[in-house]
Amino acid sequence: MKILGTITILLCGGLLIFFTSDFPDFGDPKSPASIHLSPYFIEHTLEDTAVPNIVTSVLADYRSYDTMFETTVILTAGLACFLLLRIPTKEVTRRYYLHEPTGVTLRFDGDRYPKGSNVFKRIDSNWVPYDIIINFTCRLLIHFIQIFALYVVAHGHYSPGGGFQGGVVIGASIILFAISSNLRASIKRLGEKAAAIFTATGVFIYAGTGALCMVIGEHFLNYSFLAPLLGTDRIMARSHGIFIVEIGVAVAVMAVMIWIYYNLSSAGKQDEGL
Amino acid sequence: MIIYIAGVLIIAGLFFFLVGSIGMIRLPDFYSRLHSAGIIDTMGLLLSMSGLALLILNEFNLGNFLSAIKIILIIVFIFLTSPTATHAIVDAGIRAGLKPWEKKQ
Amino acid sequence: MDIVSLIAAKANYWTYVILLMVGLYAMVAKNNLVKKIVGMVIFQTAVILFYVSIGYKKGGTLPIIMHGHDHGHGVDSFIKAADYINPLPHVLMLTAIVVGVATLGVALALAIKVYQEYGTLEEDEIRKQIELKG
Amino acid sequence: MTFFDGDSSLISNLPAIVVTLPLFASLIAGFLGWKNRKAPYPIAAVALFLTFISSVVLMIQVMSTGVAIEYRMAGWAAPVGIVYVIDHLSALVILLITSIAFVNFIANKSNIDTVFRNKAGAFNSLYLLFTAGLLGMTATGDAFNLYVLMEIASLSGYALIGLGSNRAPLSTLNYLFLGTIGATFYLLGVGYIYIATGSLNMADIASIMPKILDSSMILFAFIICMVGLLIKMAIFPLHGWLPNAYSESANVAAGLIAPLTTKVTIYIMIRICLTLFTPQYTFDYLNTSDLMVWLAIGTIIFGSLSALAQKDYKRMLTYIIIAEVGYMVGGFFLGNRIGVSGAILHIVNDAAMTLALFMAAGIFMWKTGEESQESLKGMFAKMPFTMAGFTVAALSVVGVPPTCGFFSKWYLISGGIAAGQYFFVAALIFSSLVNAILFFRIFEIAHFEPFKDHHHHSSNHSNKGEEASAHDTHEQTIKEAPLGMLIPFMAVSILLVVLGLYSGQIVNNIINFAIPSSIL
């Protein structure tokens, strides 16, 4: 298998490289890709959508339909991980508790843990003592990360950024929190249900905007028909429409990253994990 | 004048980058390699980034000033995160039972 | 055309082909499922690099209209397409990156399921277990 | 016909509605599934029914006006934005997808509840997303949009078939690897097309094509796109993922994915060859016919022979699917009008036949809890209606006259003779004979051998996921399947005959318009 694979791959690679001799040179301004369609986007983005960042305007307006299905793809991935992995078990098996005054770890089988006492703290079976340096730095940084993420989402019209990037950064901040403390602490703050509903909400904001345009006006996702609702002219309505769907993308991406992380890191149990 | 200071800073930063990279390859074990990786993140980045900030400020206007501020913020955050990350990795190495290298007698 | 300029002109294609083949090799020849998944990610990333490289234009800057928000809409007579690189491949690749991440998530979920079932991620050991079970 | 002219904008937005209705329904089903376990099913069923209705309206609309509907997403016209193009071919395939998704969903209500239990909400959502992905793939006129939608259909497909028997995750992971290679190759091909033409819109590319016929980029784009799609449709040397993935999945998932995935991929191949690369390039300039027809012959013979070797009913079906892929690919690449008509007609017929056979598999599984052919002993006496329907489906696969399978095979064989591809004709006849042997073997077991109780030795099949529940619900007596399963199954079997009787009309009124006039 290995030898066969190597030979096939060398052949494929050789063939692929051989045929590149007819391709346009790297950075050739006269290549068909650069002169057929893209000049339209570059020259008309301001008059069509009033968004200087061409990537944003193409992503969320000219090819917004692609982007709607991009958010749908991550919804699909979240649902797929949930369907494949999640083990919704209510039964309590073996659990470990730390007696905080003494530092002794106790093991309780089943549900025999003394409910009323607050000197015990639940820990994972592969628990390691919390490191104060890591904990402190992460708690300090998470706020900055989230503020930066909001900046990236909101400033996508004028600088590199947008819904997807900002959503990833927010999701990463919450995953950083889960890593620096533990999975349970982060599930307590943003549960699985919230993550799932946020994901669906994000896609719904996007697709709902599209459907609203279709109900008011003519085409799916044609934001210019939102102008009477937003109280602006048709071009600024496109700019605002882009912003609305970017928020949808950000919410969906943020939530789905957390959702997938919960399921993958605990193999679906969401009881113990990183 | 500022250009020369910036140039010196950037070159000094690149020197630390070089030393750190050589160390990552040449040093004998995990912990000492991390030590040299730390040099890249702290000294190398500090010097070369502040050199860049100065270089931008050479032509002073609002946009360049904002860019310089962003570069300084990058330095601050790298100074917070990079030692923490190194610490966490060393911690994990010790917990996993990795013994530091000793010179053979 | 001498060989150096030839390589310089086509270097982007060569790089992507090499990465593509590295990924494909890992997917075909590696025994460990997680290594195969890593190969899959390299494979997809190679195509992403290819797309981004065809968007590049000599003499072009990043596709954000300079001083766009100073003028607002309607003032576009000075915008020249040659000044900006091609934005379309970047847009397409944003979508493709998301698709890649989604595929990676589902692949890892399946790998966890496989590990729960067989207790290993090595393909030949799994095949042995299947044969033993009949 | 002025029926649609004065109507509201709802009709003009139908191409978008057909695709986004399942998407919205999946979101709503996902929302409500957290609160109430019973809520998602009716929502999904209603949404699938509405999608079916709108696809019927779309079909009527296309047939009455006779021209392709072009729908501009976000209001941007063709090369700049994304457009949906609904012509006769895509309207036909959309109708096929919506009807199969709806019928399979209705027929498998109990299966969904038993297999997926408290994850039924997520399952319903993914089922709808899969449908939406396939519908979008069919309707879109944009080469890159096709890739995104293909990945939605694939990802939801992986999740749906990953929850089957205990071996399903491993075979699904292999399916995922090959599916990703296929999709990524397609993406690479689109990239090559893009650097050669600078456009992503299929019609726009087709208008540039005559100028760049001899460009090596286009040749390479064609090869890479084709390799990607051939992997996805499981043609002979690249078929490895299909049998395990389909036979180890749950019945409701197999009943949706097995009839649709390969057929829609073949539709995509036809769409790309005809609309994007233009028939002039595919057939005249490149002259791909011989190579592809030989590939198809290999697939047919391999699929038939492997099917002969299988003891397991569902596994046998998967190899028949592979053989049928060969029919359609070969028929299309014959390159003459009769062959292409036969291939398109066979997409419809084969999807319906496969659906019927997998529904029968679902009923047998529900009945006996086993998958081997031996478990079908004495079925004719016990389940006369089911077996009648099964007989119709089997005869259709074999290709016996009043059923639909005969007519598409007739077109394919006449096309093969007209093109002079006698080996293809021989392979078709050989495959029909093998199918006859396969199904008459089952008839013999089911008709002549006495019924035997399987409950005593079912322990060695305990790894089958649905087996336990099948026994819980159905302990001792053997009677017909519940009406919820039986009625859709009978409807599909009757449809097989109806499709056969009306196949002349289908070819004359729909498929004739779908094939460009340059193909003679």
Side-chain angles (χ1 to χ4, degrees), chain C residues 16 27 36-37 40 43-44 47 50-51 54 86 88 92 95 99 102-103 106-107 110 114 117-118 126 134, chain D residues 144 147-148 151 155 163 166-167 169-170 172-174 176-177 180-181 184 187-188 190-192 194-195 200:
Chain C
Y16 110 80
M27 285 175 86
K36 283 192 170 198
I37 292 174
M40 184 182 84
F43 186 73
Q44 289 176 321
V47 175
F50 163 69
Y51 265 86
I54 59 181
N86 185 354
L88 194 52
L92 303 181
T95 311
V99 169
T103 317
V106 177
L110 283 167
V114 171
E117 180 68 27
Y118 299 100
I126 294 172
Chain D
F144 185 79
Y147 166 75
V148 180
E151 282 294 320
L155 279 178
L163 265 195
N166 286 3
R167 276 187 208 169
L170 185 63
T172 312
L173 195 57
N174 282 328
L176 187 145
F177 287 146
T180 309
I181 292 182
T184 311
L187 181 64
L188 191 59
V190 173
Y192 278 27
Y194 181 67
I195 56 175
L200 291 167

Side-chain angles (χ1 to χ4, degrees), chain C residues 2-70:
Chain C
D2 61 319
I3 192 78
V4 177
S5 60
L6 179 74
I7 290 174
K10 313 286 181 199
N12 59 330
Y13 304 117
W14 292 33
T15 320
Y16 110 80
V17 170
I18 291 167
L19 272 176
L20 197 76
M21 290 305 130
V22 167
L24 200 58
Y25 178 78
M27 285 175 86
V28 172
K30 289 289 174 194
N31 198 21
N32 189 303
L33 288 177
V34 172
K35 283 183 184 164
K36 283 192 170 198
I37 292 174
V38 172
M40 184 182 84
V41 175
I42 295 173
F43 186 73
Q44 289 176 321
T45 311
V47 175
I48 290 170
L49 274 181
F50 163 69
Y51 265 86
V52 171
S53 77
I54 59 181
Y56 177 67
K57 229 186 268 178
K58 275 209 182 73
T61 179
L62 77 172
I64 297 173
I65 305 287
M66 271 178 270
H67 313 295
H69 42 295
D70 298 346

Side-chain angles (χ1 to χ4, degrees), chain D residues 279-292 333:
Chain D
Q280 182 202 358
Y281 186 73
T282 314
F283 294 126
D284 302 340
Y285 184 81
L286 275 191
N287 203 3
T288 47
S289 295
D290 282 335
L291 178 70
M292 296 301 281
F333 278 100

Side-chain angles (χ1 to χ4, degrees), chain B residues 58-99:
Chain B
N58 189 31
E59 188 191 335
F60 191 86
N61 59 31
L62 186 66
N64 288 348
F65 181 67
L66 285 178
S67 300
I69 297 250
K70 281 176 193 166
I71 290 176
I72 290 167
L73 277 178
I74 289 173
I75 297 172
V76 170
F77 284 120
I78 296 266
F79 256 77
L80 275 173
T81 52
S82 162
T84 317
T86 314
H87 171 83
I89 295 169
V90 171
D91 203 38
I94 298 245
R95 286 220 173 92
L98 191 64
K99 291 270 186 308

Side-chain angles (χ1 to χ4, degrees), chain D residues 29-322:
Chain D
F31 276 129
L32 293 181
W34 286 101
K35 279 276 170 225
N36 184 351
R37 216 199 289 174
K38 290 217 165 30
Y41 185 84
I43 292 172
V46 168
L48 284 171
F49 181 69
L50 289 177
T51 319
F52 170 67
I53 295 293
S54 37
S55 69
V56 171
V57 177
L58 209 54
M59 183 84 229
I60 297 171
Q61 205 181 352
V62 170
M63 281 176 72
S64 61
T65 56
V67 289
I69 304 170
E70 192 189 271
Y71 185 82
R72 298 170 180 181
M73 288 293 167
W76 297 110
V80 173
I82 296 168
V83 292
Y84 268 18
V85 180
I86 314 277
D87 55 5
H88 285 82
L89 183 55
S90 46
L92 182 68
V93 179
I94 284 174
L95 185 58
L96 183 75
I97 294 167
T98 50
S99 48
I100 284 181
F102 176 63
V103 171
N104 183 54
F105 196 66
I106 294 297
N108 280 298
K109 182 177 190 314
S110 57
N111 193 309
I112 295 172
D113 288 341
T114 52
V115 179
F116 298 98
R117 293 189 194 88
N118 38 18
K119 290 182 191 163
F123 173 82
N124 289 337
S125 289
L126 279 170
Y127 192 102
L128 288 162
L129 285 174
F130 181 81
T131 317
L134 288 184
L135 288 171
M137 276 163 83
T138 314
T140 189
D142 190 279
F144 185 79
N145 193 234
L146 179 61
Y147 166 75
V148 180
L149 289 155
M150 190 195 276
E151 282 294 320
I152 287 184
S154 314
L155 279 178
S156 43
Y158 305 144
L160 293 180
I161 65 179
L163 265 195
S165 69
N166 286 3
R167 276 187 208 169
L170 185 63
S171 42
T172 312
L173 195 57
N174 282 328
Y175 175 25
L176 187 145
F177 287 146
L178 277 167
T180 309
I181 292 182
T184 311
F185 266 132
Y186 173 76
L187 181 64
L188 191 59
V190 173
Y192 278 27
I193 296 169
Y194 181 67
I195 56 175
T197 64
S199 180
L200 291 167
N201 183 276
M202 291 185 189
D204 192 35
I205 295 168
S207 70
I208 301 175
M209 275 304 286
K211 281 179 247 165
I212 47 168
L213 276 183
D214 49 357
S215 147
S216 72
M217 281 183 272
I218 286 295
L219 173 68
F220 226 58
F222 183 80
I223 295 174
I224 289 179
C225 278
M226 278 299 138
V227 169
L229 291 173
L230 290 178
I231 292 175
K232 284 228 144 203
M233 72 177 72
I235 206 156
F236 162 50
L238 310 169
H239 67 280
W241 54 271
L242 188 139
N244 286 338
Y246 284 3
S247 60
E248 283 155 16
S249 58
N251 274 324
V252 55
L256 177 70
I257 293 170
L260 288 180
T261 311
T262 50
K263 274 75 187 176
V264 172
T265 318
I266 290 166
Y267 160 80
I268 297 298
M269 184 191 79
I270 294 177
R271 162 72 54 202
I272 284 190
C273 286
L274 292 187
T275 315
L276 200 154
F277 286 107
T278 65
Q280 182 202 358
Y281 186 73
T282 314
F283 294 126
D284 302 340
Y285 184 81
L286 275 191
N287 203 3
T288 47
S289 295
D290 282 335
L291 178 70
M292 296 301 281
V293 170
W294 273 106
L295 213 57
I297 293 171
T299 311
I300 294 172
I301 291 178
F302 168 81
S304 305
L305 289 181
S306 312
L308 212 49
Q310 303 303 319
K311 287 208 169 56
D312 189 300
Y313 173 70
K314 248 162 106 181
R315 271 191 97 75
M316 183 190 91
L317 292 187
T318 60
Y319 282 104
I320 292 179
I321 292 177
I322 294 179

